[in-house]
């Protein structure tokens, strides 16, 4: 199980008038094995950027991100593959392939994780975990928003990653579905999975009583 550490991390984007804009700035942040962390803050505060930096989807312009004391900017080849298997990621935007069934979508993800022979079994197990064992033959467009988000979570769980990075997983969902997902995440965390979750669902954050990290204008404002 990995420990994650960000050391003076900043990500800079250029505006249309070529000025520098810090999406996040001088982040010092550590997540221990088995932590459950909520990232909160207004839209544009830097939550998505922070998750992408942790998962290695983008590289910092300043500072370093470490997984088990190894700078992930230096990962290449098999180390890069190992890094991708460390994280199960749910992005804000769906990445399900519309013209493939849910089972086919999950099997593609399983094979990408190196599970060639057990891809179907892994997909079935993941769907069972999120409470959707019977949607395998459906297409994404046939699912409700809540079901689609749970399938995205199943996709992230396909290779049993030690860390989940979840970006607004519960956005636009009804209260019952959010509560079901929170219960599932709590169960996964109790089994040792590290969870870092960006969310606007403040009432559930308060109920869950977990570590809360607040971002304001790209900076850590509370932990």
């Amino acid at each position: 199980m990995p420990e994650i550490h960000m050391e003076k991390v900043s990500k800079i984007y250029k505006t249309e008038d070529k000025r520098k804009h810090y999406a996040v700035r001088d982040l010092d942040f550590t997540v221990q094995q088995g932590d459950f962390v909520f990232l909160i803050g207004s839209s544009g505060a830097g939550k998505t950027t922070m998750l992408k930096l942790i998962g290695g989807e983008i590289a910092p312009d300043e500072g370093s991100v470490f997984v088990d004391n190894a700078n992930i900017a230096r990962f290449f080849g098999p180390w890069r593959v190992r890094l991708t298997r460390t994280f199960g990621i749910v992005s804000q935007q769906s990445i399900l392939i519309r013209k493939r069934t849910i089972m086919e979508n999950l099997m593609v993800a399983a094979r990408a994780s190196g599970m060639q022979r057990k891809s179907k079994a892994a997909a079935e197990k993941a769907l069972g975990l999120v409470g959707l064992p019977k949607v395998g033959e459906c297409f994404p467009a046939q699912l409700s928003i809540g079901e689609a988000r749970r399938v995205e979570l199943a996709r992230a769980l396909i290779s049993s990653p030690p860390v989940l990075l979840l970006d607004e997983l519960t956005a636009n969902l009804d209260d019952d579905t959010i509560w079901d997902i929170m219960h599932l995440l709590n169960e996964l965390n109790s089994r040792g999975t590290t969870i870092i979750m960006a969310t606007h669902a403040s009432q559930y954050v308060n109920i869950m009583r977990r570590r809360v990290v607040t971002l304001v204008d790209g900076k850590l404002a509370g932990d």
Side-chain angles (χ1 to χ4, degrees):
M1 294 287 288
E3 178 182 288
I4 299 161
H5 177 62
M6 306 182 85
E7 187 175 286
K8 298 294 181 185
V9 170
S10 298
K11 184 64 182 178
I12 303 168
Y13 294 104
K14 288 187 177 180
T15 61
E16 291 183 0
D17 57 3
K18 296 185 179 180
R19 293 182 180 181
K20 288 184 178 180
H21 168 71
Y22 281 86
V24 295
R25 188 167 190 170
D26 294 330
L27 296 183
D28 284 311
F29 175 71
T30 298
V31 176
Q32 303 290 341
Q33 299 176 12
D35 275 358
F36 192 138
V37 183
F38 287 111
L39 299 181
I40 65 171
S42 60
S43 296
K47 301 186 299 297
T48 296
T49 300
M50 188 172 177
L51 289 176
K52 288 183 175 181
L53 287 163
I54 292 171
E57 293 183 69
I58 57 176
D61 294 302
E62 299 170 359
S64 301
V65 181
F66 299 90
V67 174
D68 281 342
N69 297 316
N71 187 341
I72 66 174
R74 298 174 183 171
F75 282 17
F76 61 92
W79 288 98
R80 196 73 194 173
V81 173
R82 181 180 175 185
L83 178 68
T84 61
R85 292 176 182 172
T86 299
F87 299 106
I89 298 173
V90 178
S91 304
Q92 285 191 43
Q93 302 299 321
S94 174
I95 57 174
L96 296 177
I97 304 167
R98 294 184 179 183
K99 293 185 178 181
R100 295 198 179 192
T101 65
I102 298 304
M103 181 59 67
E104 289 169 341
N105 268 279
L106 296 188
M107 288 175 68
V108 167
R111 290 172 187 144
S113 299
M115 306 171 70
Q116 299 296 330
R117 295 182 180 179
K118 299 181 179 180
S119 60
K120 186 173 182 180
E124 290 173 344
K125 179 181 178 181
L127 287 175
L129 277 174
V130 301
L132 296 173
K134 298 180 180 180
V135 303
E137 298 309 311
C138 297
F139 288 89
Q142 295 176 293
L143 303 183
S144 68
I145 294 174
E147 288 171 335
R149 292 305 276 168
R150 281 194 280 171
V151 168
E152 295 273 4
L153 179 57
R155 188 182 186 282
L157 292 169
I158 200 81
S159 61
S160 301
V163 183
L164 287 176
L165 303 177
L166 311 175
D167 195 357
E168 298 295 351
L169 174 63
T170 58
N172 302 314
L173 302 184
D174 61 75
D175 287 343
D176 287 342
T177 302
I178 293 175
W179 195 234
D180 287 344
I181 287 174
M182 290 297 185
H183 274 297
L184 171 59
L185 295 178
N186 195 50
E187 177 63 24
L188 291 169
N189 180 246
S190 71
R191 297 178 188 176
T193 302
T194 301
I195 298 173
I196 308 174
M197 180 178 184
T199 183
H200 282 99
S202 57
Q203 67 273 35
Y204 294 96
V205 171
N206 294 333
I207 292 170
M208 294 288 285
R209 292 184 173 274
R210 298 290 187 162
R211 180 182 174 189
V212 179
V213 171
T214 305
L215 286 172
V216 176
D217 295 330
K219 295 183 178 181
L220 286 180
D223 187 348

